[in-house]
């Protein structure tokens, strides 16, 4: 059985992430979407919030599931028995970042392949940061994220932040 790990910040999960995950299930027997606990960026949602939004956004099946982790991605990939790490690529801007990650992971363990899926055309502009920005100013994110994610964003931004 071929298992793939799809790691990310998922802050929050978007239809773009879900599209990449679904496409990965056509290649692998099992895809594990994994929320990285401590990415080096400012987060809007906590790890448990990001995981809950992810879990309620996917239909958990034998092929697709969601979890979280707080260690080196390559170590977690080994732990779950993954043969590959899946990532998505939108525009040229993503390339350098993804290339660096791929090289670092290859250095750490060359037996786990990086599989980079090109973003689907309709989601190629879509990122969690764009979604957060639209939601922060009360814009409609209904076509970009699942309904419960839109509600969670509304709640976050309804509370005045100091
Ligand atoms: P990161 O893990 O770099 O903090 P994200 O959690 O937003 O970033 O994304 C996880 C992975 O999913 C990354 O490889 C990113 O390029 C990819 N991704 C994000 N949005 C999309 C999209 N709209 N279509 C395809 N892939 C995407």
């Amino acid at each position: 059985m071929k298992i793939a790990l799809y790691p990310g910040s998922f802050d929050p999960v978007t239809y773009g992430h879900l599209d990449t995950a679904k496409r990965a299930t056509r290649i692998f027997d099992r895809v594990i979407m994994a929320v990285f606990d401590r990415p080096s960026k400012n987060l809007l949602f906590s790890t448990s919030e990001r995981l809950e939004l992810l879990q309620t956004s996917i239909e958990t099946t034998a092929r697709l599931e969601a979890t979280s982790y707080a260690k080196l991605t390559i170590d977690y990939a080994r732990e779950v028995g993954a043969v590959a790490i899946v990532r998505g690529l939108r525009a040229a801007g993503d390339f350098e970042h993804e290339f660096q990650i791929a090289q670092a992971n290859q250095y750490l363990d060359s037996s786990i392949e990086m599989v980079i899926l090109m973003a689907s055309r309709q989601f190629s502009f879509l990122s969690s940061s764009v979604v957060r920005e639209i939601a922060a100013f009360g814009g409609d994110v209904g076509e970009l994220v699942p309904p419960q994610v839109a509600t969670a964003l509304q709640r976050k931004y309804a509370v005045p932040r100091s």
Side-chain angles (χ1 to χ4, degrees):
M1 179 159 81
K2 293 223 183 296
I3 300 171
L5 183 71
Y6 178 17
S9 307
F10 304 116
D11 186 38
V13 63
T14 70
Y15 282 137
H17 295 127
L18 296 173
D19 176 68
T20 299
K22 194 170 161 203
R23 287 167 52 209
T25 62
R26 292 196 213 131
I27 307 172
F28 298 98
D29 301 307
R30 205 172 135 215
V31 174
I32 303 171
M33 294 184 83
V35 173
F36 180 42
D37 186 39
R38 281 171 298 157
S40 51
K41 50 165 118 170
N42 288 331
L43 294 167
L44 178 63
F45 292 100
S46 70
T47 301
S48 58
E49 288 172 326
R50 286 178 289 140
L51 179 58
E52 196 192 327
L53 291 174
L54 189 51
Q55 275 167 338
T56 54
S57 299
I58 61 170
E59 249 178 77
T60 305
T61 60
R63 295 187 88 91
L64 184 60
E65 64 192 84
T67 179
S68 65
Y69 69 106
K71 53 177 71 176
L72 264 181
T73 301
I74 203 83
D75 288 340
Y76 188 58
R78 252 192 241 124
E79 191 179 304
V80 299
V83 294
I85 293 173
V86 168
R87 297 279 294 176
L89 196 71
R90 284 155 298 185
D94 275 351
F95 178 78
E96 213 162 312
H97 179 57
E98 294 302 332
F99 191 66
Q100 255 179 21
I101 293 176
Q103 298 285 311
N105 284 338
Q106 203 176 53
Y107 159 73
L108 292 168
D109 186 342
S110 60
S111 72
I112 298 181
E113 282 297 338
M114 295 294 300
V115 174
I116 317 293
L117 297 181
M118 299 295 159
S120 296
R121 214 176 35 220
Q122 71 269 38
F123 300 123
S124 59
F125 77 99
L126 182 51
S127 67
S128 297
S129 58
V130 161
V131 166
R132 289 195 304 268
E133 201 148 316
I134 295 173
F137 292 98
D140 180 12
V141 292
E143 286 180 28
L144 312 179
V145 296
Q148 73 278 14
V149 176
T151 305
L153 281 160
Q154 266 170 9
R155 264 198 222 118
K156 271 282 179 209
Y157 288 117
V159 182
R161 287 185 296 164
S162 52

